[in-house]
Amino acid sequence: MDNVLSGKRIIVGITGGIAAYKAPLLVRLLVKAGAEVTCAVTDHALQFVTELTLETVSGNRVYKELFDRQNPHSTEHISLKDWGDAMIVAPATANIIGKMANGIADDALSTLLLSFRKPLFIAPAMNTQMLENYALQRNLDYLRANGVSVIDSASGELACGSSGNGRMEEPERIVEAMEKVLSTESHCSGKRVLITAGPTYEKIDSVRFIGNFSTGKMGFALAEELASRGYEVVLIAGPTQLATSHSGIRRIDIVSAREMYDAATREFPSCSAAILSAAVADFRPEHEADHKIKKQSDQDDMTLHLVQNPDILATLGTMKREDQLLVGFALETDNELENAKKKLAKKNLDFIVLNSLQDKGAGFGHDTNKVTIIDRSGNIDIGELKSKKAVAKDIADKVALLIGN
Ligand code: CTP
């Protein structure tokens, strides 16, 4: 099979970090994979790598000035953005990341980035403290949430003499990451999968809520995994700090169980499958005060009256058509298998993922999980403790087996 990069036109953006010395190698690897490459550089990048080197390895003129009359693309940066099928900024400094996240266009490269609408990759490279800075992390999260593929930096020796995270990923790995994303995008099956993730918050008054410890990690790992396989993912997320990175994920943020219910019942009919991993609050306060409830001076206790929330999974079970797949999660502490099997039947599921709270490292907040998958035919697959990413792969394998790619 042809390499996915073969015949593609790739713009390699280069900014002013020491890792720019590796950019010519990246260009060579892309050319070797069959891509046509044009480099777009900042002034500072040219302190680290010469224009002549880049022109020699790419075989194309370097784009560096907005108003360079010699450059066929220069009168309009627009023509270069139309020319490129994908773009990678490597290395991406904190400065260009800040500009991208804030829509700043003050030179040739940032102007081009602002108008570029096709697959976009960045490979950050900087000193560890800069990388860990809250503003930089916020900018990266924002770019990820808006479909930019961030190729995370690696740990190792840094130019400043210290060692830590912040080294630009090696050009070979960058090319592999680009191939992975571009090949899944080109093989998008068009099948849509609905995922619910995270907790729900049920308001008591204007400042308090009933919630739970779910972080959403499992559901988000599932969304990324399925999107990377070419499924169109609709992710309905409760309140969480997590960001999504794949452009194949459409995210709907909600707060309460009823909002999650509304979004899920609206989206489900157009989906081939739904995987409900959210930790939905079973009950909510009957009355929600629109002001902060004050405690009275002689008050020793307080009673909150709760009413039941709709069961989203059970509702989708009643809506499910023959051609749809429905997957639930179960969190049990006693009679785990029996209860999970009962839930599978009662809610009309195709399979259920039983979460164990008994095992160290599994469940809420952890990066690992240990699950047992039980299907309609009675097959029981007991998993090991694995990363949530690996568990997501197992679940995605089973989904793919049942609905196809
Ligand atoms: N779920 C849902 N809507 C609810 C409650 C739960 O969609 N109102 C879904 C969860 O996303 C999960 C599954 O139902 O996929 C099981 O949730 P769990 O809390 O284990 O079970 P419940 O059905 O709430 O039953 P119980 O609390 O009695 O164990």
Side-chain angles (χ1 to χ4, degrees):
M1 204 180 83
D2 262 2
N3 186 304
V4 67
L5 288 165
S6 175
K8 286 253 164 38
R9 291 165 157 184
I10 309 287
I11 304 168
V12 176
I14 305 164
T15 58
I18 178 66
Y21 83 90
K22 293 184 184 170
L25 181 56
L26 174 64
V27 173
R28 275 202 60 205
L29 291 172
L30 291 167
V31 170
K32 225 170 134 192
E36 193 183 341
V37 176
T38 294
C39 296
V41 301
T42 60
D43 287 345
H44 286 157
L46 293 179
Q47 307 276 330
F48 296 97
V49 60
T50 72
E51 194 177 344
L52 183 60
T53 307
L54 296 171
E55 287 189 348
T56 308
V57 287
S58 70
N60 279 319
R61 287 193 61 111
V62 168
Y63 174 70
K64 59 177 179 159
E65 281 166 31
L66 261 178
F67 307 110
D68 173 5
R69 310 183 84 189
Q70 300 301 309
N71 192 322
H73 296 301
S74 64
T75 41
E76 285 177 322
H77 57 276
I78 305 299
S79 61
L80 187 57
K81 69 119 174 111
D82 288 339
W83 177 88
D85 296 315
M87 183 164 177
I88 162 93
V89 184
T93 56
N95 186 42
I96 196 76
I97 292 169
K99 285 189 202 174
M100 288 172 74
N102 291 285
I104 296 170
D106 62 356
D107 61 8
L109 178 61
S110 53
T111 306
L112 173 61
L113 282 163
L114 194 62
S115 60
F116 197 74
R117 287 283 169 278
K118 286 177 246 174
L120 178 56
F121 301 81
I122 59 171
M126 67 199 73
N127 147 292
T128 311
Q129 276 74 36
M130 289 170 77
L131 186 71
E132 287 172 353
N133 177 276
Y134 62 92
L136 190 276
Q137 284 300 323
R138 177 201 59 199
N139 289 340
L140 282 178
D141 284 346
Y142 186 74
L143 292 177
R144 281 193 193 96
N146 282 282
V148 176
S149 301
V150 178
I151 303 170
D152 285 325
S153 54
S155 287
E157 268 181 43
L158 301 170
C160 56
S162 63
S163 68
N165 194 359
R167 258 170 82 121
M168 186 177 85
E169 187 50 284
E170 293 304 325
E172 289 82 358
R173 301 288 88 71
I174 293 178
V175 173
E176 279 170 19
M178 291 177 73
E179 284 171 348
K180 197 168 164 219
V181 171
L182 293 173
S183 63
T184 52
E185 293 209 348
S186 64
H187 292 118
C188 181
S189 67
K191 283 205 171 121
R192 193 175 294 161
V193 180
L194 174 74
I195 296 172
T196 65
T200 63
Y201 286 180
E202 311 300 322
K203 265 176 116 176
I204 298 170
D205 64 15
S206 54
V207 296
R208 303 178 179 96
F209 62 85
I210 297 175
N212 59 64
F213 293 118
S214 166
T215 53
K217 283 182 181 169
M218 190 64 244
F220 275 61
L222 269 167
E224 295 291 340
E225 179 60 31
L226 287 160
S228 78
R229 294 182 186 211
Y231 294 100
E232 209 183 305
V233 174
V234 181
L235 174 64
I236 305 175
T240 159
Q241 301 293 321
L242 301 177
T244 45
S245 62
H246 200 286
S247 57
I249 303 173
R250 174 161 60 90
R251 176 169 173 172
I252 302 172
D253 287 304
I254 55 84
V255 175
S256 69
R258 281 185 296 174
E259 287 168 0
M260 185 174 273
Y261 174 89
D262 288 344
T265 49
R266 186 180 66 236
E267 297 288 338
F268 187 51
S270 66
C271 294
S272 303
I275 309 173
L276 272 54
S277 69
V280 186
D282 286 325
F283 295 92
R284 67 175 183 276
E286 183 179 23
H287 301 291
E288 178 189 315
D290 51 13
H291 57 276
K292 183 181 167 210
I293 301 172
K294 296 288 285 177
K295 73 173 172 302
Q296 307 304 318
S297 53
D298 57 349
Q299 188 177 11
D300 289 330
D301 58 13
M302 177 182 181
T303 305
L304 266 182
H305 189 249
L306 304 180
V307 292
Q308 203 171 4
N309 270 326
D311 188 320
I312 305 164
L313 185 58
T315 307
L316 299 195
T318 62
M319 293 168 65
K320 187 169 73 132
R321 298 186 308 260
E322 278 289 297
D323 63 336
Q324 287 179 307
L325 183 85
L326 186 59
V327 181
F329 272 68
L331 190 63
E332 304 289 344
T333 46
D334 312 294
N335 290 332
E336 297 179 322
L337 271 183
E338 276 324 298
N339 283 332
K341 281 186 196 162
K342 274 190 204 148
K343 249 175 226 175
L344 173 83
K346 197 169 134 213
K347 299 193 185 186
N348 191 22
L349 311 181
D350 295 280
F351 68 89
I352 191 158
V353 183
L354 171 62
N355 261 304
S356 171
L357 271 190
Q358 320 274 17
D359 298 282
K360 233 180 139 216
F364 287 164
H366 293 287
D367 289 322
T368 46
N369 207 3
K370 185 173 186 311
V371 302
T372 299
I373 298 180
I374 307 154
D375 70 19
R376 262 179 122 87
S377 326
N379 298 315
I380 299 176
D381 193 355
I382 303 173
E384 300 291 315
L385 185 71
K386 304 178 180 179
S387 67
K388 285 190 172 166
K389 208 171 148 64
V391 173
K393 280 186 192 301
D394 292 344
I395 297 171
D397 283 346
K398 198 151 172 86
V399 169
L401 206 65
L402 295 165
I403 65 167
N405 286 306

